[in-house]
Amino acid sequence: MNESMSNAAERENSKNFSQTTEKLNDRAAEQVARQAAGHAADEASYAALESMKRNEVSLDAIRGSLVGGAAGDALGYPVEFYSLGEIQSIYGEAGITHYHYGGKGLARISDDTQMTLFTATGLLLATTRGRMKGVLAPDTEYVHSSYYTWYLMQRGHSKFGYEEDEAYPYSWLYRVPEMGENRAPGNTCMSALSSKKCGSIEHPLNHSKGCGGIMRVAPVGLYRNRGLCEAKPETNMRENAGDQERTDDLMMTEQLRTAKQAGVRNPGKDVDRIKDVDWMAAQVAAITHGHPLGYMPAAALAHIVNRVAYWNLTIEQAVEDAMSEMKTLFAGTEELDEMLVLVDIALQLAKNEEPDTVNIRSLGEGWVAEETLAISVYCAVKYADDFSKAIIAAVNHSGDSDSTGAVTGNIVGAALGYEAIPDEWKDRLECLDVILEVADDLCHDCQMSESSPYRDPEWMAKY
């Protein structure tokens, strides 16, 4: 009996020892797994940080373009609906040359800058969804959704969230009260967005060629095709690199498919990748503006901004390059010559000695997109090295002063960079912190992917 009890005890001890050993082995395996996961996460975090550092080569240009556009917008906004004579009667013969500060002591931005920022967050939302969830809808769908959030804010909607009775917030800018303030939004933009449909070149919602499309597309030129300074998210995990390449290829394939359906000739996977920039900008404008002269100038602007920001072209060279590309991209479009001729006149006028007010008068008033482009080209080329003179010239005319100021600021700001913009245009500029945050996000981009352990909680809360 005692021997039997002894054997049973030995068996129980052996069983307990075996279970203890198994638990220790399991714990050791868990610890090794945690260490491996921690090591992979560390590697991914380091790679993301390095990628963001490489991207910062373009930060000054991105900040310069967005802040420059907002500065031109804020300078022109108070005189948007004034004739040149009225502007001069209020501000003197030279016109408006300094900010007119609003009730809060700030230079107020208009709907032009509001929509420009919503363009940027829409593009970033598209990239983030593609990399994190494999959602590969066209970028324009996300930009449209971002615009719709802006539209709801303009209509006074303030209840955003994730409950059934709340509007889904497709842009984190819904948290910024100034983005919802009515700053004379364009009728075409509001009407198109009220339909809840995403217009396109293939399926236009209207026949408008107003400047509401061109004034908001600079982020497309800033976000895409950064030349040698472009950096993609990287980790040491081959499968992550493969996933990213496949995602980029699928996104490009969708864009090329759309281009081919529209009859674009040879939209190759680059042709220096600039066609992707131009076509995307045209489609972003066509969300609300369906006339060819509503979206072709937008394509040209994105091209110019991209070339001066990243490819070491002068503004004049970038304009000539853009016009050359437009001839290919929109070959056969009846209205193309009208834009080409007007821009060529702007280039010629930039070389004469006539007063800016006289030259600009011959280009139009800027209410339609091809005139906005031409006036902005004239001012940007003539004052390529002087940001202040460029935006001052751009707003002092009888027309859409905030839009011509904004587009001119986008171009010259991209060429000179943020640091070169005089402080007088940064000080007391409304929402400067928000503009810089969006610029920084465009620069750093989404560094996460499904297969990488790296996570950025702040980014995930925004996009």
Side-chain angles (χ1 to χ4, degrees):
M1 183 69 178
N2 289 337
E3 183 177 352
S4 176
M5 291 177 62
S6 176
N7 290 337
E10 287 181 5
R11 287 195 298 272
E12 186 64 26
N13 288 337
S14 177
K15 180 180 178 182
N16 290 339
F17 178 79
S18 177
Q19 290 175 342
T20 300
T21 300
E22 288 178 5
K23 289 180 179 178
L24 289 174
N25 288 337
D26 289 343
R27 289 177 184 173
E30 288 176 6
Q31 185 174 2
V32 170
R34 283 196 298 271
Q35 289 175 344
H39 180 66
D42 288 343
E43 283 189 342
S45 296
Y46 175 78
L49 180 60
E50 288 300 302
S51 179
M52 286 189 283
K53 286 180 179 178
R54 288 193 298 276
N55 281 348
E56 287 193 350
V57 174
S58 62
L59 182 59
D60 192 49
I62 296 174
R63 284 183 167 185
S65 186
L66 291 192
V67 173
D73 176 28
L75 181 64
Y77 180 43
V79 298
E80 177 182 9
F81 300 106
Y82 293 178
S83 69
L84 177 61
E86 290 171 327
I87 295 172
Q88 292 174 327
S89 69
I90 298 171
Y91 298 99
E93 187 65 25
I96 186 169
T97 58
H98 301 284
Y99 282 146
H100 177 96
Y101 297 107
K104 297 179 182 179
L106 297 173
R108 298 201 308 165
I109 58 174
S110 81
D111 62 313
D112 294 36
T113 299
Q114 289 175 342
M115 293 200 75
T116 296
L117 298 178
F118 278 89
T119 299
T121 59
L123 293 171
L124 290 166
L125 178 64
T127 296
T128 303
R129 293 293 176 88
R131 291 176 181 172
M132 295 298 293
K133 298 182 179 181
V135 181
L136 296 173
D139 288 11
T140 49
E141 294 288 345
Y142 292 98
V143 176
H144 173 260
S145 295
S146 185
Y147 289 162
Y148 191 68
T149 297
W150 171 81
Y151 166 78
L152 290 176
M153 295 176 72
Q154 293 295 307
R155 295 297 302 270
H157 191 97
S158 60
K159 197 171 183 180
F160 292 92
Y162 306 98
E163 302 298 329
E164 288 186 6
D165 62 338
E166 296 177 322
Y168 189 90
Y170 284 97
S171 173
W172 64 268
L173 294 172
Y174 81 93
R175 306 170 194 159
V176 182
E178 293 84 355
M179 296 296 109
E181 291 188 9
N182 186 304
R183 302 291 172 83
N187 291 331
T188 301
C189 288
M190 294 296 286
S191 175
L193 293 172
S194 71
S195 73
K196 298 185 180 181
K197 297 177 181 177
C198 181
S200 67
I201 293 172
E202 301 79 15
H203 303 288
L205 296 181
N206 52 46
H207 204 58
S208 174
K209 63 172 187 172
C211 67
I214 186 176
M215 55 77 164
R216 65 181 192 237
V217 300
V220 180
L222 296 170
Y223 188 50
R224 304 273 184 141
N225 193 36
R226 300 189 202 179
L228 296 177
C229 63
E230 186 172 42
K232 293 182 179 180
E234 294 181 3
T235 70
N236 290 329
M237 301 170 65
R238 289 184 179 180
E239 58 269 30
N240 180 56
D243 286 349
Q244 182 55 56
E245 185 176 350
R246 285 192 295 274
T247 297
D248 288 348
D249 284 346
L250 285 169
M251 294 175 75
M252 180 68 74
T253 298
E254 172 62 25
Q255 291 151 7
L256 295 179
R257 183 186 64 77
T258 303
K260 288 176 180 177
Q261 286 178 344
V264 177
R265 297 181 181 178
N266 301 319
K269 189 180 177 179
D270 182 47
V271 185
D272 166 38
R273 293 176 63 194
I274 195 65
K275 277 187 171 63
D276 176 45
V277 172
D278 302 348
W279 188 253
M280 177 58 65
Q283 289 285 20
V284 166
I287 290 173
T288 56
H289 289 69
H291 192 284
L293 286 174
Y295 56 76
M296 290 189 299
L301 173 62
H303 188 112
I304 294 165
V305 166
N306 183 269
R307 287 312 204 201
V308 299
Y310 306 131
W311 296 85
N312 296 321
L313 269 65
T314 67
I315 294 175
E316 185 172 3
Q317 289 171 338
V319 172
E320 292 171 346
D321 191 60
M323 294 305 103
S324 176
E325 194 61 52
M326 296 304 102
K327 293 175 184 178
T328 300
L329 191 62
F330 298 108
T333 303
E334 182 179 349
E335 299 85 352
L336 177 61
D337 282 347
E338 188 174 344
M339 181 182 77
L340 296 175
V341 168
L342 196 59
V343 170
D344 185 61
I345 292 172
L347 290 174
Q348 298 307 313
L349 291 175
K351 300 173 184 177
N352 73 27
E353 300 300 324
E354 292 292 324
D356 294 326
T357 52
V358 173
N359 286 332
I360 290 174
R361 187 182 301 122
S362 66
L363 295 172
E365 296 184 342
W367 298 111
V368 290
E370 72 272 21
E371 292 179 2
T372 299
L373 177 65
I375 292 171
S376 300
V377 163
Y378 166 82
C379 297
V381 169
K382 186 166 185 177
Y383 300 111
D385 298 320
D386 193 322
F387 180 84
S388 298
K389 287 184 178 180
I391 62 170
I392 289 171
V395 304
N396 282 289
H397 60 88
S398 301
D400 198 352
S401 297
D402 60 340
S403 294
T404 51
V407 173
T408 300
N410 288 145
I411 297 171
V412 182
L416 298 180
Y418 177 74
E419 296 301 325
I421 296 176
D423 288 341
E424 67 175 297
W425 304 115
K426 303 172 189 174
D427 295 340
R428 297 164 66 185
L429 175 62
E430 185 182 39
C431 291
L432 177 62
D433 57 338
V434 177
I435 298 167
L436 289 175
E437 183 173 353
V438 172
D440 291 0
D441 287 352
L442 282 175
C443 173
H444 293 138
D445 206 359
C446 176
Q447 300 297 324
M448 301 176 291
S449 74
E450 284 184 286
S451 57
S452 168
Y454 173 70
R455 292 294 179 266
D456 183 341
E458 184 177 349
W459 187 278
M460 294 171 72
K462 291 164 67 177
Y463 302 106

